[in-house]
Amino acid sequence: MPPVAAYDQIIEHIFFAHYKKGADRFDFARDELRKAAEHLKLKTPKNLGDVVYSYRYRRPLPPRVRETCDAKEEWVIRGVGHAKYRFLRVPITAIEPRDGLYQIKVPDATPEIVGRYALGDEQALLAKVRYNRLIDIFTGVAAYSLQNHLRTQVPEMGQIEIDELYVGISKSGAQFILPVQAKGGRDHIGRIQLEQDIV
């Protein structure tokens, strides 16, 4: 069975084991993922955390889960501690560029050799942001890439991941931490990513 189909069955099983009509939140633990796989007679995923990570950041929840919300709501999975999670029903959050905004043209300073060999993924997009100093230009501070794919534990949220973390300094000497999330193609930045970045 493809991992996506197995992940859908596992997360759906956990959801309906806890969900009661009208509920807007309920918690579950990572160990329930293993128990759900065993109950469904599925091969237990090697990385249990990837099941939850997929629905927090990469893909929509299964249709049966989404159907429990009205048209203006969605379920998100929020970390609430080490290996602990919460399904939470929230208003739909569409984070997209607005049409009609003034566009600022920036010459592409990406080295030709980087452009030639870069893949079409978020790492390639982050490289373009870095080489073109887009963070500096649009924030007005001198910004420096500190770390890619920062994974860390945050109290009461569990593990979070930031695509790239910048540090910056303004003319007055004020210092900033600038989390950057990159999405390419059809991927969208979700509510959970924004929430973790402002904690």
Side-chain angles (χ1 to χ4, degrees):
M1 175 176 293
V4 168
Y7 282 16
D8 277 1
Q9 288 186 51
I10 291 168
I11 205 73
E12 192 175 285
H13 179 83
I14 289 171
F15 181 89
F16 286 105
H18 292 278
Y19 176 70
K20 303 264 189 295
K21 189 171 181 178
D24 65 358
R25 69 187 64 211
F26 49 86
D27 295 354
F28 68 99
R30 181 178 298 169
D31 191 52
E32 292 181 54
L33 298 164
R34 180 185 53 75
K35 291 176 183 173
E38 290 172 0
H39 176 81
L40 296 165
K41 297 182 174 29
L42 297 171
K43 184 177 178 184
T44 302
K46 288 181 183 177
N47 180 359
L48 285 175
D50 189 55
V51 178
V52 175
Y53 181 89
S54 293
Y55 297 104
R56 290 184 76 192
Y57 301 116
R58 289 197 299 255
R59 51 188 330 257
L61 287 159
R64 279 190 64 220
V65 172
R66 296 195 313 265
E67 287 166 6
T68 62
C69 289
D70 68 28
K72 295 182 179 180
E73 294 178 322
E74 64 183 339
W75 287 102
V76 296
I77 301 174
R78 193 178 275 169
V80 290
H82 180 66
K84 296 178 182 174
Y85 308 97
R86 175 172 295 146
F87 270 103
L88 185 65
R89 191 169 54 190
V90 296
I92 286 179
T93 307
I95 303 162
E96 298 176 350
R98 289 189 312 201
D99 291 331
L101 293 178
Y102 179 73
Q103 293 183 12
I104 298 172
K105 294 183 179 179
V106 177
D108 190 351
T110 308
E112 184 178 338
I113 193 168
V114 173
R116 178 181 297 164
Y117 294 109
L119 303 174
D121 61 3
E122 65 185 39
Q123 287 304 309
L125 183 57
L126 289 166
K128 280 188 156 267
V129 168
R130 215 174 303 121
Y131 283 117
N132 289 285
R133 310 288 305 179
L134 297 182
I135 305 299
D136 305 57
I137 291 169
F138 291 105
T139 62
V141 301
Y144 306 92
S145 174
L146 180 66
Q147 185 172 341
N148 286 39
H149 281 286
L150 172 68
R151 285 188 182 187
T152 188
Q153 292 285 332
V154 174
E156 299 179 11
M157 280 192 83
Q159 181 176 292
I160 66 166
E161 182 177 319
I162 297 169
D163 291 339
E164 188 157 11
L165 189 67
Y166 281 74
V167 290
I169 188 164
S170 69
K171 289 179 185 177
S172 64
Q175 297 181 10
F176 300 89
I177 301 291
L178 305 161
V180 175
Q181 301 289 1
K183 295 293 178 191
R186 296 180 180 175
D187 290 343
H188 297 279
I189 291 178
R191 178 188 194 104
I192 293 298
Q193 285 180 300
L194 288 185
E195 286 180 356
Q196 74 174 26
D197 288 355
I198 60 176
V199 168

